[in-house]
Amino acid sequence: MDANFPQETPSVSRRQFLNFLTGTTLAATAGTVVYSGAKIFIPKAEGGLGGAIIAKDRLGNVIPARQILAEPTGTRALVAGLAGEPTYLTLLENNTLDSVGIVNNCTHLGCTFPWNEIDQQFQCPCHGSRYSVDGAVVRGPANRPLKLVHVAVQSEVILISPWTEIDPRTNEVPWWV
Ligand code: FES
């Protein structure tokens, strides 16, 4: 366990942190790319750009954008996002990233979950909740969609910022705002 990680993510509870580690293992076995070990020096963006932060790996290292953009179309790359929340980024065609990221935190009781490539769903191993590609609930017990974030590539890094607008899946103010 990286002793530095909890210090960088003070809002993540111990249970969520443990779930994060477990979830990344599950994600890796389900064909999701989990980044670690990237080392690059880039000035921190935290606190600026409308609350945007730079995507990092689970060890707290900045992930070069080119590293993720080189992945095949359809890949769900798991990175540490806002407040260290594990967040899925989706690779689109032409080596671009979906501008919407999905936070890997089940809205039932907070477990992390893998992406199931065959079913094209996020499937929570704790109590069986399932979510569609956009994070909408397909099957409970979860009854709220997954939290969204904005994703943008700027220079050599990936920026993640809070989603505070209307939730396109419910056409309502997001439950997390
Ligand atoms: Fe995911 Fe219960 S925590 S279904």
Side-chain angles (χ1 to χ4, degrees):
M1 183 180 298
D2 180 357
N4 292 326
F5 194 84
Q7 295 171 4
E8 291 193 8
T9 57
S11 66
V12 179
S13 69
R14 177 171 173 74
R15 179 178 179 212
Q16 287 173 314
F17 177 61
L18 292 173
N19 283 343
F20 178 48
L21 295 181
T22 304
T24 54
T25 301
L26 289 169
T29 59
T32 301
V33 177
V34 180
Y35 286 90
S36 64
K39 295 187 184 306
I40 182 172
F41 176 75
I42 296 174
K44 290 187 175 182
E46 282 83 349
L49 300 171
I53 58 98
I54 295 175
K56 297 178 180 176
D57 65 24
R58 57 183 170 169
L59 300 178
N61 301 307
V62 171
I63 302 172
R66 63 180 178 279
Q67 185 175 337
I68 289 186
L69 295 177
E71 295 294 337
T73 300
T75 295
R76 264 63 181 182
L78 192 55
V79 303
L82 296 168
E85 289 181 309
T87 302
Y88 280 110
L89 311 180
T90 301
L91 271 293
L92 303 179
E93 294 181 353
N94 302 318
N95 300 101
T96 58
L97 271 183
D98 193 335
S99 62
V100 181
I102 293 180
V103 176
N104 185 354
N105 189 333
C106 183
T107 60
H108 179 223
L109 291 176
C111 285
T112 54
F113 46 80
W115 165 251
N116 186 309
E117 182 68 30
I118 295 173
D119 293 340
Q120 292 287 294
Q121 292 178 340
F122 297 103
Q123 299 180 345
C124 184
C126 291
H127 312 99
S129 290
R130 295 187 174 197
Y131 303 88
S132 61
V133 291
D134 65 355
V137 175
V138 174
R139 187 177 87 185
N143 58 15
R144 296 188 299 189
L146 296 171
K147 184 178 175 181
L148 302 179
V149 293
H150 290 287
V151 177
V153 176
Q154 182 172 305
S155 300
E156 289 296 311
V157 298
I158 297 167
L159 299 180
I160 298 177
S161 57
W163 186 293
T164 58
E165 309 87 84
I166 293 296
D167 185 333
R169 301 159 302 186
T170 62
N171 288 321
E172 297 176 354
V173 174
W175 60 262
W176 60 86
V177 172

